[in-house]
Amino acid sequence: MKQIESIKEFDGFLNRYTHFSDSCQCEMTFSVYLPPQAETQAVPALYWLSGLTCTDDNVRVKAGAQRYAAENGIALVMPDTSPRGDEVADEPDRYDLGKGAGFYVNATQEPWVKHYQMYDYVTAELPNLIEQNFPVMAGVKSISGHSMGGHGALICALKNPGAFRSVSAFSPICHPTQCGWGQGCFTAYLGEKNQSDWASYDAVELIENGASCEHILVDQGTADEFLTEGQLQPEALQKACDDNGINLQLRMQDGYDHSYHFIATFIGEHIAYHTKALSQK
C-alpha cells in the first residue's frame, strides 16, 4: 500500500492510497478520511460506493462529507468504482460498462472475469486492508452510496447480514435486472442466461428471496432524470420491503436531481443516521 496524497481537513486528514488488489488483479486506488478523533482512538468506518463514471475522487471533493465525519468521529472509506489499468478489459465507447462501471459484482464471463471482482473487493479485501492498517474499530462499519453505488450498498448489506451496522443510499439502482443499466452490465459480466446470478446482485430480488436487514434509508430526488427513465425504480424497492417486513425510509425529495448537489444537501443527515447505528453497543 502506497500513500499518494494527504490533505488536512477539519482537523483530520484526507489520504489517498494505491495498492495491488488480489481480488481485482490490478492496482486499485482508494481514499480514507480520518477524523481528528482517530489520532487518539479507533473510530468506526462508513464505506461510500460511488456511481457510474466516478472514481474515489467525486465524493471526497463534491459531497462535503468530511465536515460531518469530523464532527461525529467517523472514518470515511471511499473506493474506486472499478478496476483500472491498460490490461483491464473495457468498452471505451460506453460510460455504463467497463472502467468506471464495475457494478459491484463478481464477473464470471470473459474478458471481465480476471479483473472485475468488485463485490469481493468492497466486502472483504478492502475492509480487511483498512482494519489492518488504520485506526478503525474492527467490524464496526456502515455502508452508503449513490446510484450504481447505492445499488452496491444495498446488496452488500443484504448479502452480508450483520456485517454493516446500517445502510443508506442516494438514488440507488434498486432493481438492476429490470433496467437498462443493470441488464447491460449483468449480460456482460454475468452472462445472458445466468438469471440466478443476476438475482443475487439485485436488491429487490434479494429481498423477495428472503434477504433482510433491519432498516434502510433512501433519498431520491423527484427531478432525477434517471427516475423518469426507469433506471432506479424505488417503488419496486418499497413494495419488496413492505411485502417482507423491512423498515424502508424512502424520502422523495422534491425538486432534487441525480447530482452531488443533491447528495451534499442531505449527506449530513445520512452520516447522523449512520453515527447512531455505529454508536450502539
Side-chain angles (χ1 to χ4, degrees), residues 131-159:
E131 292 181 7
Q132 290 170 9
N133 291 279
F134 297 91
V136 300
M137 298 177 181
V140 183
K141 60 186 184 294
S142 293
I143 193 164
S144 187
H146 171 231
S147 194
M148 179 185 73
H151 141 79
L154 292 174
I155 64 166
C156 288
L158 289 166
K159 288 166 70 71

Side-chain angles (χ1 to χ4, degrees), residues 222-238:
T222 63
D224 188 325
E225 63 273 30
F226 301 115
L227 179 65
T228 58
E229 291 179 8
Q231 298 282 17
L232 307 178
Q233 302 186 39
E235 68 284 353
L237 181 65
Q238 182 74 75

Side-chain angles (χ1 to χ4, degrees), residues 10-279:
F10 306 108
D11 291 326
F13 285 90
L14 176 64
N15 300 327
R16 202 175 197 187
Y17 302 87
T18 60
H19 74 110
F20 183 82
S21 165
D22 290 332
S23 299
C24 297
Q25 288 294 297
C26 65
E27 288 290 321
M28 295 292 288
T29 300
F30 66 91
S31 290
V32 176
Y33 176 71
L34 293 173
Q37 295 88 338
E39 294 185 5
T40 58
Q41 64 189 54
V43 297
L46 174 60
Y47 286 72
W48 174 271
L49 305 184
S50 291
L52 286 167
T53 75
C54 293
T55 69
D56 62 304
D57 201 37
N58 296 75
V59 63
R60 70 188 203 135
V61 171
K62 297 178 180 179
Q66 291 91 303
R67 176 189 296 274
Y68 302 104
E71 291 173 358
N72 290 283
I74 292 176
L76 300 176
V77 182
M78 299 158 278
D80 202 348
T81 55
S82 77
R84 308 275 179 177
D86 293 341
E87 75 282 9
V88 173
D90 191 24
E91 286 286 347
D93 295 331
R94 291 183 58 176
Y95 75 93
D96 57 350
L97 181 66
K99 295 176 187 177
F103 235 88
Y104 304 104
V105 305
N106 286 340
T108 60
Q109 306 298 303
E110 296 291 350
W112 314 100
V113 62
K114 180 178 180 180
H115 299 292
Y116 284 76
Q117 303 295 313
M118 287 300 295
Y119 176 77
D120 281 353
Y121 181 72
V122 299
T123 60
E125 183 178 4
L126 184 59
N128 288 338
L129 186 70
I130 295 297
E131 292 181 7
Q132 290 170 9
N133 291 279
F134 297 91
V136 300
M137 298 177 181
V140 183
K141 60 186 184 294
S142 293
I143 193 164
S144 187
H146 171 231
S147 194
M148 179 185 73
H151 141 79
L154 292 174
I155 64 166
C156 288
L158 289 166
K159 288 166 70 71
N160 297 277
F164 299 96
R165 295 282 185 91
S166 52
V167 57
S168 74
F170 290 84
S171 311
I173 302 171
C174 298
H175 203 4
T177 62
Q178 301 300 315
C179 77
W181 282 339
Q183 291 167 351
C185 283
F186 286 6
T187 297
Y189 298 150
L190 304 175
E192 185 172 4
K193 297 180 179 179
N194 298 331
Q195 296 300 308
S196 62
D197 286 351
W198 288 31
S200 71
Y201 293 111
D202 181 306
V204 171
E205 299 269 3
L206 285 167
I207 293 169
E208 290 177 346
N209 289 321
S212 185
C213 57
E214 185 174 346
H215 187 271
I216 300 171
L217 171 63
V218 170
D219 273 329
Q220 172 64 61
T222 63
D224 188 325
E225 63 273 30
F226 301 115
L227 179 65
T228 58
E229 291 179 8
Q231 298 282 17
L232 307 178
Q233 302 186 39
E235 68 284 353
L237 181 65
Q238 182 74 75
K239 184 178 187 305
C241 288
D242 290 346
D243 290 347
N244 291 276
I246 295 177
N247 182 6
L248 169 65
Q249 186 180 8
L250 174 60
R251 308 192 304 185
M252 300 300 295
Q253 303 289 5
D254 186 49
Y256 285 91
D257 61 14
H258 198 74
S259 73
Y260 267 90
H261 299 288
F262 167 50
I263 295 169
T265 302
F266 299 103
I267 192 67
E269 296 176 23
H270 280 241
I271 290 179
Y273 161 79
H274 291 296
T275 298
K276 182 177 179 180
L278 290 165
S279 300

